[in-house]
Amino acid sequence: FPSHDTGYFHIQSTLRNGAAAIVSHLGQTLDLHVLSGDHGHEEESLSKALKGEVSYHFNQSPVDKLNYLKSLNQQGKNSLMIGDGLNDAGALQESQVGVAITDRVSHFSPASDAILDADSFAKIPAFLAFARDSRKIIKASFGLSFLYNIVGLSLAVQGLLSPVLCAILMPVSSISVVIFTTLVTNFMGVRKGLIHLNKA
């Protein structure tokens, strides 16, 4: 009798490129949680692939994910949810910041605060660092504006500035603050590799 070779299919969940590096980097300063609709047997493979302290929760329905985010918010946590499916829609809206990952930005994505192209998934740590730096830039621009007003007001009170000169300096000070914020923000974006300068 002719022999027949026996074959089988091995189906395994895969992670997005850069996922392990992202978890390793973010896990140093943030509490990470994985909410998955998959069965618990995926935990072993995920634990091996994703190094670091991660809280795993499987068999999560869309409602379970939503309630989990509500629980974190009620504990006073600052929550950011990253999801790539419609079953994440409720959790994305409940989180303080929701980021939807999509392979095609022109296609339908769940309602969220931001939509991230899947090709830029590995840049998530850089985006978060950029957001923190942006807050510092905004505070610096407020400080610069406050300084302008204090100096201008003190000179005006002493009668060292004419009304015409004050009328000129006021919009100039506002424009300078806008220019400062724009230049520094773009510089930080280039430095973190989020903005690429076009070279002729």
Side-chain angles (χ1 to χ4, degrees):
F1 298 96
S3 61
H4 297 281
D5 293 332
T6 302
Y8 68 93
F9 290 100
H10 178 66
I11 301 174
Q12 184 177 5
S13 299
T14 58
L15 297 173
R16 291 186 181 275
N17 293 333
I22 291 173
V23 169
S24 176
H25 185 276
L26 296 182
Q28 298 174 13
T29 55
L30 303 174
D31 295 329
L32 302 181
H33 307 254
V34 171
L35 306 178
S36 174
D38 295 335
H39 294 289
H41 65 268
E42 295 285 351
E43 182 171 354
E44 183 178 352
S45 61
L46 279 178
S47 298
K48 292 179 180 178
L50 304 177
K51 307 297 183 182
E53 294 292 328
V54 181
S55 177
Y56 294 99
H57 302 272
F58 293 94
N59 298 306
Q60 298 288 297
S61 68
V63 175
D64 293 331
K65 294 179 181 182
L66 171 63
N67 290 333
Y68 193 88
L69 264 297
K70 282 183 178 180
S71 175
L72 290 178
N73 292 336
Q74 288 171 357
Q75 295 173 37
K77 304 284 187 179
N78 294 319
S79 60
L80 181 146
M81 170 74 180
I82 300 175
D84 61 359
L86 288 177
N87 56 348
D88 299 321
L92 287 169
Q93 287 192 313
E94 179 61 30
S95 61
Q96 292 179 347
V97 178
V99 179
I101 304 291
T102 180
D103 292 298
R104 296 185 180 181
V105 293
S106 60
H107 285 199
F108 178 80
S109 298
S112 57
D113 298 299
I115 298 176
L116 182 66
D117 192 315
D119 292 337
S120 300
F121 179 72
K123 295 181 180 179
I124 288 176
F127 280 121
L128 294 178
F130 180 68
R132 286 190 290 269
D133 289 340
S134 295
R135 292 182 61 184
K136 296 177 183 178
I137 294 170
I138 291 172
K139 290 178 181 179
S141 66
F142 274 117
L144 182 61
S145 178
F146 184 72
L147 180 62
Y148 266 126
N149 286 309
I150 290 296
V151 173
L153 184 61
S154 62
L155 293 176
V157 169
Q158 297 176 48
L160 299 176
L161 294 177
S162 67
V164 174
L165 188 57
C166 288
I168 295 173
L169 290 178
M170 281 303 293
V172 170
S173 67
S174 299
I175 292 172
S176 64
V177 170
V178 172
I179 292 174
F180 165 79
T181 305
T182 302
L183 291 178
V184 175
T185 300
N186 279 277
F187 170 76
M188 295 304 300
V190 171
R191 186 178 178 184
K192 295 184 181 302
L194 301 176
I195 299 175
H196 301 284
L197 298 176
N198 293 324
K199 296 182 179 180

